C-alpha cells in the first residue's frame, strides 16, 4: 500500500510517502504561516522525488489536530479533495495518536496548547481515553511524551518514536483496511476569533 501523509496542524508543513510502512520520502518545513500555499507543491515534490504520481497512491493520511484551527482545516480540506479526485480513501489521524505511535504503553501524550494548557490523551496497551484539554499542572501519568511533557520526580519523558507525518502514514495504512469516516478536524478548544464589534448593517425596506 502506497500512502501519502501530511500535517499542517502547527507551525510546520510535514509530509511523508510510505510503501507498506517503509518510508520512501519525507520532509518537514517549519513555517508560522503559508502552509496553504506550500502544501500542494511540497506533496508534488515528494512524489516527484520518488518517481511516482498521484495515481500511484492507494490512500491519503492526514493530521486532524488538535492544533492550529487554520492549519488543521488546510490539511483536512486538501485530503478530502485529493481523496475525491483520486477515488482513494482519506484517513484522519489525530496528532496525539501519531505522537503515541511506536512508544511503549501505558503512555500519556501531552501536547502544548498554550495558555498554560495541554491537549492530553492517555494510551493503554488495549486502547485510549478520550482526548481532552487540561491545565498543564494537572497532567498525570508516569510515562509521557509530547511538547508539554515535562520531567518531574517519578515521570519518564520519552521523545516521539517517529516523525509526525511518518506516524500518520503508518496509522492511516492500518486503518485503511477497514471503512473509515471522512477526515474531520479534531477541535478541543473553541475558536479564538472574536465576533465583530461593529453593529450589523441596518436593512431598509424599499
Amino acid at each position: 500500500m502506497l500512502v501519502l501523509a501530511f500535517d499542517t496542524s502547527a507551525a510546520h508543513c510535514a509530509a511523508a510517502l510510505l510503501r507498506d510502512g517503509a518510508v520512501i520520502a519525507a520532509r518537514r518545513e517549519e513555517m508560522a504561516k503559508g502552509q496553504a500555499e506550500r502544501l500542494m507543491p511540497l506533496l508534488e515534490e515528494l512524489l516527484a522525488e520518488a518517481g511516482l504520481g498521484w495515481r500511484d497512491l492507494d490512500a491519503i493520511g492526514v493530521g486532524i489536530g488538535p492544533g492550529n484551527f487554520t492549519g488543521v482545516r488546510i490539511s483536512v480540506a486538501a485530503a478530502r479533495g485529493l481523496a475525491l479526485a483520486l477515488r482513494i480513501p482519506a484517513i484522519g489521524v489525530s496528532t496525539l495518536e501519531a505522537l503515541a505511535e511506536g512508544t511503549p504503553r501505558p503512555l500519556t501524550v501531552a501536547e502544548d496548547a498554550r495558555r498554560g494548557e495541554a491537549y492530553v490523551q492517555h494510551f493503554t496497551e488495549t486502547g485510549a481515553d478520550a482526548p481532552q484539554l487540561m491545565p498543564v499542572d494537572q497532567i498525570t501519568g508516569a510515562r509521557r511524551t509530547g511538547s508539554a511533557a515535562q520531567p518531574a520526580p517519578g515521570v519518564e519523558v520519552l521523545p516521539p518514536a517517529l516523525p509526525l507525518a511518518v506516524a500518520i502514514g503508518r496509522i492511516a495504512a492500518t486503518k485503511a483496511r477497514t471503512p473509515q469516516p471522512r477526515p474531520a478536524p479534531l477541535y478541543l478548544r473553541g475558536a479564538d476569533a472574536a465576533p465583530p464589534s461593529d453593529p450589523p448593517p441596518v436593512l431598509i425596506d424599499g
Side-chain angles (χ1 to χ4, degrees):
M1 178 176 288
L2 184 65
V3 178
L4 179 63
F6 50 88
D7 180 87
T8 56
S9 63
H12 62 245
C13 198
L17 187 62
L18 301 90
R19 188 188 299 277
D20 298 329
V23 180
I24 298 175
R27 195 178 304 174
R28 177 181 173 123
E29 298 180 3
E30 303 299 327
M31 55 181 66
K33 57 183 179 179
Q35 290 94 333
E37 294 79 15
R38 181 59 183 141
L39 178 60
M40 294 307 296
L42 176 63
L43 300 181
E44 290 177 344
E45 290 168 13
L46 216 59
L47 287 168
E49 181 180 325
L52 297 167
W54 292 107
R55 295 294 174 182
D56 295 312
L57 298 175
D58 297 304
I60 298 289
V62 61
I64 59 171
N68 176 274
F69 271 65
T70 301
V72 170
R73 289 197 298 269
I74 290 168
S75 279
V76 169
R80 286 186 175 186
L82 287 170
L84 183 63
L86 301 174
R87 297 185 178 182
I88 59 175
I91 313 298
V93 179
S94 81
T95 304
L96 304 177
E97 185 180 6
L99 289 171
E101 178 70 6
T103 304
R105 315 291 173 91
L107 176 72
T108 298
V109 178
E111 190 68 359
D112 184 23
R114 301 184 179 181
R115 307 177 193 170
E117 295 180 315
Y119 302 118
V120 178
Q121 190 169 16
H122 301 287
F123 293 83
T124 67
E125 294 180 356
T126 57
D129 296 342
Q132 56 186 311
L133 180 68
M134 66 168 55
V136 171
D137 59 8
Q138 293 183 16
I139 299 171
T140 60
R143 183 186 291 129
R144 306 175 191 176
T145 192
S147 60
Q150 300 298 323
V155 173
E156 180 185 13
V157 177
L158 301 176
L162 298 167
L164 185 61
V166 172
I168 291 171
R170 289 190 177 175
I171 295 170
T174 299
K175 290 186 174 184
R177 297 177 186 139
T178 57
Q180 298 289 324
R182 289 198 310 165
L186 174 61
Y187 295 140
L188 299 181
R189 172 187 282 158
D192 291 331
S197 58
D198 295 335
V202 176
L203 299 179
I204 301 174
D205 292 333

